[in-house]
Coordinates of all heavy atoms in Angstrom, one line a residue:
F372 N -43.7 -41.8 7.3 CA -42.7 -41.1 6.5 C -42.3 -41.9 5.3 O -42.0 -41.4 4.2 CB -41.5 -40.7 7.3 CG -40.2 -40.5 6.5 CD1 -40.1 -39.3 5.8 CD2 -39.2 -41.4 6.5 CE1 -39.0 -39.0 5.1 CE2 -38.1 -41.1 5.8 CZ -38.0 -40.0 5.1
Y373 N -42.1 -43.3 5.4 CA -41.6 -44.1 4.4 C -42.5 -44.0 3.1 O -43.7 -44.1 3.2 CB -41.4 -45.5 4.8 CG -40.4 -45.6 5.9 CD1 -40.8 -45.6 7.2 CD2 -39.1 -45.7 5.5 CE1 -39.7 -45.7 8.2 CE2 -38.0 -45.7 6.5 CZ -38.4 -45.7 7.8 OH -37.4 -45.8 8.7
G374 N -41.9 -43.8 2.0 CA -42.6 -43.5 0.8 C -42.5 -42.0 0.4 O -42.7 -41.7 -0.8
Y375 N -42.1 -41.1 1.3 CA -42.0 -39.7 1.0 C -40.9 -39.6 -0.2 O -41.0 -38.8 -1.1 CB -41.6 -38.9 2.2 CG -41.3 -37.5 1.9 CD1 -42.5 -36.6 1.7 CD2 -40.0 -37.0 1.7 CE1 -42.2 -35.2 1.4 CE2 -39.9 -35.6 1.4 CZ -40.9 -34.8 1.2 OH -40.7 -33.5 0.9
G376 N -39.8 -40.3 0.0 CA -38.7 -40.2 -0.9 C -39.1 -40.6 -2.3 O -38.3 -40.3 -3.3
R377 N -40.1 -41.3 -2.5 CA -40.5 -41.7 -3.9 C -41.3 -40.6 -4.7 O -41.7 -40.8 -5.8 CB -41.5 -43.0 -3.8 CG -40.7 -44.2 -3.3 CD -41.5 -45.5 -3.5 NE -42.7 -45.5 -2.8 CZ -42.9 -46.0 -1.6 NH1 -41.8 -46.6 -1.0 NH2 -44.1 -46.0 -1.1
G378 N -41.5 -39.5 -4.0 CA -42.1 -38.3 -4.6 C -43.6 -38.4 -4.7 O -44.2 -37.7 -5.5
E379 N -44.2 -39.2 -3.8 CA -45.6 -39.4 -3.8 C -46.4 -38.4 -2.9 O -47.6 -38.4 -3.0 CB -46.0 -40.8 -3.3 CG -45.3 -41.9 -4.2 CD -45.5 -43.3 -3.6 OE1 -46.0 -43.4 -2.5 OE2 -45.1 -44.3 -4.3
W380 N -45.7 -37.6 -2.2 CA -46.4 -36.8 -1.2 C -46.8 -35.5 -1.8 O -46.0 -34.7 -2.3 CB -45.5 -36.5 0.1 CG -45.6 -37.7 1.0 CD1 -45.6 -39.0 0.7 CD2 -45.5 -37.5 2.4 NE1 -45.5 -39.7 1.9 CE2 -45.5 -38.9 2.9 CE3 -45.3 -36.5 3.3 CZ2 -45.4 -39.2 4.3 CZ3 -45.2 -36.8 4.7 CH2 -45.3 -38.1 5.2
T381 N -48.1 -35.1 -1.7 CA -48.6 -33.8 -2.1 C -48.5 -32.9 -0.9 O -48.2 -33.3 0.2 CB -50.0 -33.9 -2.6 OG1 -50.8 -34.3 -1.5 CG2 -50.2 -34.8 -3.8
D382 N -48.7 -31.6 -1.2 CA -48.8 -30.6 0.0 C -49.9 -31.1 1.0 O -49.8 -31.0 2.2 CB -49.1 -29.2 -0.4 CG -47.9 -28.5 -1.1 OD1 -46.8 -29.2 -1.0 OD2 -48.0 -27.5 -1.6
S383 N -50.9 -31.7 0.5 CA -52.0 -32.2 1.3 C -51.5 -33.3 2.3 O -51.8 -33.3 3.4 CB -53.1 -32.8 0.4 OG -54.1 -33.4 1.2
A384 N -50.6 -34.2 1.7 CA -50.1 -35.3 2.5 C -49.2 -34.7 3.6 O -49.2 -35.2 4.8 CB -49.3 -36.2 1.7
V385 N -48.5 -33.7 3.3 CA -47.6 -33.0 4.4 C -48.5 -32.4 5.5 O -48.2 -32.5 6.6 CB -46.7 -32.0 3.7 CG1 -45.9 -31.2 4.8 CG2 -45.7 -32.6 2.7
R386 N -49.5 -31.7 5.0 CA -50.4 -31.1 6.1 C -51.0 -32.2 7.0 O -51.1 -32.0 8.1 CB -51.5 -30.3 5.4 CG -51.1 -29.1 4.6 CD -52.3 -28.3 4.2 NE -51.9 -27.3 3.1 CZ -52.0 -27.5 1.8 NH1 -52.5 -28.6 1.4 NH2 -51.7 -26.5 1.0
R387 N -51.4 -33.3 6.4 CA -52.0 -34.4 7.2 C -51.0 -35.0 8.1 O -51.3 -35.3 9.3 CB -52.6 -35.4 6.3 CG -53.8 -35.0 5.5 CD -54.3 -36.1 4.6 NE -55.3 -35.6 3.7 CZ -56.6 -35.4 4.0 NH1 -57.0 -35.8 5.3 NH2 -57.5 -34.9 3.2
Y388 N -49.7 -35.1 7.7 CA -48.7 -35.6 8.5 C -48.5 -34.7 9.7 O -48.4 -35.2 10.9 CB -47.4 -35.6 7.7 CG -46.2 -36.3 8.4 CD1 -46.1 -37.7 8.5 CD2 -45.2 -35.5 8.9 CE1 -45.0 -38.2 9.1 CE2 -44.1 -36.1 9.5 CZ -44.0 -37.4 9.6 OH -42.9 -38.0 10.2
V389 N -48.5 -33.4 9.5 CA -48.3 -32.5 10.6 C -49.5 -32.4 11.5 O -49.4 -32.5 12.8 CB -48.0 -31.1 10.0 CG1 -47.9 -30.0 11.2 CG2 -46.7 -31.0 9.3
A390 N -50.7 -32.4 10.9 CA -51.9 -32.4 11.7 C -52.1 -33.6 12.5 O -52.5 -33.5 13.7 CB -53.1 -32.2 10.8
D391 N -51.8 -34.8 12.0 CA -51.9 -36.0 12.7 C -50.9 -36.2 13.8 O -51.3 -36.7 14.9 CB -51.8 -37.3 11.8 CG -53.0 -37.4 10.9 OD1 -54.0 -36.8 11.1 OD2 -52.9 -38.2 9.9
A392 N -49.7 -35.6 13.7 CA -48.7 -35.7 14.7 C -49.0 -34.7 15.8 O -48.8 -34.9 16.9 CB -47.3 -35.4 14.1
G393 N -49.6 -33.5 15.4 CA -50.0 -32.5 16.4 C -48.7 -32.1 17.2 O -47.6 -31.8 16.7
D394 N -48.9 -32.1 18.5 CA -47.8 -31.7 19.4 C -46.7 -32.7 19.5 O -45.6 -32.3 20.1 CB -48.3 -31.5 20.9 CG -49.4 -30.3 21.0 OD1 -49.3 -29.4 20.1 OD2 -50.2 -30.3 21.9
L395 N -46.9 -33.8 18.9 CA -45.8 -34.9 18.9 C -44.9 -34.8 17.7 O -44.1 -35.7 17.5 CB -46.5 -36.3 19.0 CG -47.3 -36.5 20.2 CD1 -48.0 -37.9 20.1 CD2 -46.4 -36.6 21.5
L396 N -45.0 -33.7 16.8 CA -44.3 -33.7 15.6 C -42.8 -33.8 15.8 O -42.1 -34.5 15.1 CB -44.6 -32.5 14.8 CG -43.9 -32.3 13.5 CD1 -44.3 -33.4 12.5 CD2 -44.3 -30.9 12.8
A397 N -42.3 -33.0 16.8 CA -40.8 -33.0 17.0 C -40.3 -34.4 17.5 O -39.3 -34.9 17.0 CB -40.5 -32.0 18.1
R398 N -41.2 -35.1 18.3 CA -40.8 -36.4 18.7 C -40.9 -37.4 17.5 O -40.1 -38.3 17.4 CB -41.7 -36.9 19.8 CG -41.4 -36.3 21.2 CD -42.5 -36.6 22.2 NE -42.1 -36.3 23.6 CZ -43.0 -36.0 24.5 NH1 -44.2 -35.9 24.2 NH2 -42.6 -35.8 25.8
L399 N -41.9 -37.2 16.7 CA -42.0 -38.1 15.5 C -40.8 -38.0 14.6 O -40.4 -39.0 14.1 CB -43.3 -37.8 14.8 CG -43.6 -38.7 13.6 CD1 -43.7 -40.2 14.0 CD2 -45.0 -38.3 12.9
H400 N -40.3 -36.7 14.4 CA -39.1 -36.5 13.6 C -38.0 -37.4 14.2 O -37.3 -38.1 13.5 CB -38.7 -35.0 13.7 CG -39.5 -34.2 12.9 ND1 -40.3 -34.6 11.8 CD2 -39.8 -32.8 13.0 CE1 -40.9 -33.5 11.2 NE2 -40.6 -32.5 12.0
K401 N -37.8 -37.3 15.5 CA -36.7 -38.0 16.1 C -36.9 -39.6 16.1 O -35.9 -40.3 15.9 CB -36.6 -37.5 17.6 CG -36.1 -36.1 17.8 CD -36.1 -35.7 19.3 CE -35.7 -34.2 19.4 NZ -35.7 -33.8 20.8
L402 N -38.1 -40.0 16.3 CA -38.4 -41.4 16.3 C -38.1 -42.0 14.8 O -37.5 -43.0 14.7 CB -39.9 -41.7 16.6 CG -40.3 -43.2 16.5 CD1 -39.4 -44.1 17.5 CD2 -41.7 -43.3 17.0
T403 N -38.6 -41.3 13.8 CA -38.4 -41.7 12.5 C -36.9 -41.8 12.1 O -36.4 -42.7 11.5 CB -39.1 -40.8 11.5 OG1 -40.5 -40.8 11.9 CG2 -39.0 -41.3 10.0
R404 N -36.2 -40.8 12.5 CA -34.7 -40.7 12.2 C -34.0 -41.9 13.0 O -33.1 -42.5 12.5 CB -34.1 -39.4 12.6 CG -34.5 -38.2 11.6 CD -33.8 -37.0 12.0 NE -34.2 -35.9 11.1 CZ -33.6 -35.6 9.9 NH1 -32.6 -36.4 9.5 NH2 -34.0 -34.6 9.2
S405 N -34.5 -42.1 14.2 CA -33.9 -43.2 15.0 C -34.1 -44.6 14.4 O -33.3 -45.5 14.6 CB -34.5 -43.2 16.4 OG -34.2 -42.0 17.1
D406 N -35.2 -44.7 13.7 CA -35.6 -46.0 13.1 C -34.7 -46.4 11.9 O -34.8 -47.5 11.4 CB -37.0 -45.9 12.7 CG -37.7 -47.3 12.4 OD1 -37.2 -48.3 13.0 OD2 -38.7 -47.4 11.7
C407 N -33.8 -45.5 11.5 CA -33.0 -45.8 10.4 C -31.7 -46.5 11.0 O -30.8 -45.8 11.5 CB -32.6 -44.6 9.6 SG -31.4 -44.9 8.3
T408 N -31.6 -47.8 10.9 CA -30.5 -48.6 11.5 C -29.7 -49.3 10.5 O -28.9 -50.1 10.8 CB -31.0 -49.5 12.6 OG1 -31.8 -50.5 12.0 CG2 -31.7 -48.7 13.7
T409 N -30.0 -49.1 9.2 CA -29.3 -49.9 8.1 C -27.8 -49.6 8.1 O -27.4 -48.5 8.4 CB -29.9 -49.5 6.8 OG1 -29.2 -50.3 5.7 CG2 -29.8 -48.0 6.5
R410 N -27.0 -50.6 7.8 CA -25.5 -50.4 7.7 C -25.1 -50.0 6.3 O -24.0 -49.8 6.0 CB -24.8 -51.7 8.2 CG -25.0 -52.1 9.6 CD -24.2 -53.4 9.9 NE -24.4 -53.8 11.3 CZ -23.8 -54.8 11.9 NH1 -23.2 -55.7 11.1 NH2 -24.1 -55.1 13.1
N411 N -26.1 -50.0 5.4 CA -25.9 -49.6 4.1 C -25.7 -48.0 4.0 O -26.8 -47.3 4.2 CB -27.1 -50.0 3.1 CG -26.8 -49.7 1.7 OD1 -26.3 -48.6 1.3 ND2 -27.2 -50.6 0.8
R412 N -24.6 -47.6 3.9 CA -24.3 -46.1 4.1 C -25.1 -45.3 3.0 O -25.6 -44.2 3.3 CB -22.8 -45.8 3.9 CG -22.0 -46.4 5.1 CD -20.5 -45.9 5.0 NE -19.8 -46.4 6.1 CZ -18.5 -46.1 6.2 NH1 -17.8 -45.4 5.3 NH2 -17.8 -46.6 7.3
R413 N -25.2 -45.9 1.8 CA -25.9 -45.1 0.7 C -27.4 -45.0 1.1 O -28.0 -44.0 0.9 CB -25.7 -45.9 -0.6 CG -26.3 -45.2 -1.8 CD -25.9 -45.9 -3.0 NE -26.5 -45.3 -4.2 CZ -26.3 -45.7 -5.5 NH1 -25.6 -46.8 -5.7 NH2 -26.9 -45.0 -6.5
K414 N -28.0 -46.2 1.6 CA -29.4 -46.1 1.9 C -29.6 -45.2 3.1 O -30.6 -44.5 3.1 CB -29.9 -47.6 2.2 CG -31.3 -47.7 2.5 CD -31.7 -49.1 2.7 CE -33.2 -49.3 3.0 NZ -33.6 -50.7 3.2
A415 N -28.7 -45.3 4.1 CA -28.8 -44.4 5.3 C -28.8 -42.9 4.9 O -29.6 -42.1 5.4 CB -27.8 -44.8 6.3
A416 N -27.9 -42.6 4.0 CA -27.8 -41.2 3.6 C -29.0 -40.7 2.8 O -29.4 -39.6 2.9 CB -26.5 -41.1 2.7
Q417 N -29.6 -41.7 2.0 CA -30.7 -41.3 1.2 C -31.9 -41.1 2.2 O -32.7 -40.1 2.0 CB -31.1 -42.4 0.2 CG -32.3 -42.1 -0.6 CD -32.0 -40.8 -1.5 OE1 -31.0 -40.8 -2.3 NE2 -32.9 -39.8 -1.4
L418 N -32.1 -41.9 3.1 CA -33.2 -41.7 4.1 C -33.0 -40.4 4.9 O -34.0 -39.7 5.1 CB -33.2 -42.9 5.1 CG -33.8 -44.2 4.6 CD1 -33.6 -45.4 5.5 CD2 -35.3 -44.1 4.2
A419 N -31.8 -40.1 5.3 CA -31.6 -38.8 6.0 C -31.9 -37.7 5.1 O -32.5 -36.7 5.6 CB -30.1 -38.9 6.5
S420 N -31.4 -37.8 3.9 CA -31.7 -36.7 2.9 C -33.2 -36.5 2.7 O -33.7 -35.4 2.7 CB -31.0 -37.0 1.6 OG -31.3 -36.0 0.6
D421 N -33.9 -37.6 2.6 CA -35.4 -37.5 2.4 C -36.0 -36.8 3.6 O -37.0 -36.1 3.4 CB -36.0 -39.0 2.2 CG -35.5 -39.5 0.8 OD1 -35.1 -38.7 0.0 OD2 -35.8 -40.7 0.7
Y422 N -35.6 -37.2 4.8 CA -36.3 -36.6 6.0 C -35.9 -35.2 6.1 O -36.7 -34.3 6.5 CB -35.9 -37.4 7.2 CG -37.1 -37.3 8.2 CD1 -38.1 -38.2 8.1 CD2 -37.2 -36.3 9.2 CE1 -39.2 -38.1 8.9 CE2 -38.2 -36.3 10.0 CZ -39.3 -37.2 9.9 OH -40.3 -37.1 10.7
D423 N -34.6 -34.8 5.8 CA -34.2 -33.4 5.7 C -35.2 -32.6 4.8 O -35.7 -31.5 5.1 CB -32.8 -33.2 5.3 CG -31.8 -33.7 6.3 OD1 -32.2 -33.8 7.5 OD2 -30.6 -33.9 5.9
A424 N -35.4 -33.2 3.6 CA -36.3 -32.6 2.6 C -37.7 -32.4 3.2 O -38.4 -31.4 2.9 CB -36.3 -33.4 1.3
L425 N -38.2 -33.4 3.8 CA -39.5 -33.3 4.4 C -39.6 -32.2 5.5 O -40.6 -31.4 5.5 CB -40.0 -34.7 5.0 CG -41.3 -34.6 5.8 CD1 -42.4 -34.2 4.9 CD2 -41.6 -36.0 6.4
E426 N -38.6 -32.1 6.3 CA -38.7 -31.0 7.4 C -38.6 -29.7 6.7 O -39.2 -28.8 7.2 CB -37.5 -31.3 8.3 CG -37.7 -32.5 9.2 CD -36.8 -32.5 10.5 OE1 -36.4 -31.4 10.9 OE2 -36.3 -33.6 10.9

Side-chain angles (χ1 to χ4, degrees):
F372 161 73
Y373 292 96
Y375 178 80
R377 296 194 295 267
E379 300 171 355
W380 281 35
T381 62
D382 283 354
S383 171
V385 174
R386 293 189 194 97
R387 291 177 188 279
Y388 185 78
V389 174
D391 289 346
D394 293 339
L395 297 173
L396 181 62
R398 283 171 168 148
L399 183 57
H400 287 334
K401 293 176 182 178
L402 177 60
T403 303
R404 289 184 181 275
S405 298
D406 197 22
C407 177
T408 63
T409 178
R410 293 181 182 179
N411 184 320
R412 292 185 179 181
R413 184 174 181 179
K414 185 176 181 180
Q417 184 61 56
L418 286 169
S420 176
D421 288 347
Y422 211 85
D423 287 342
L425 174 59
E426 290 195 32

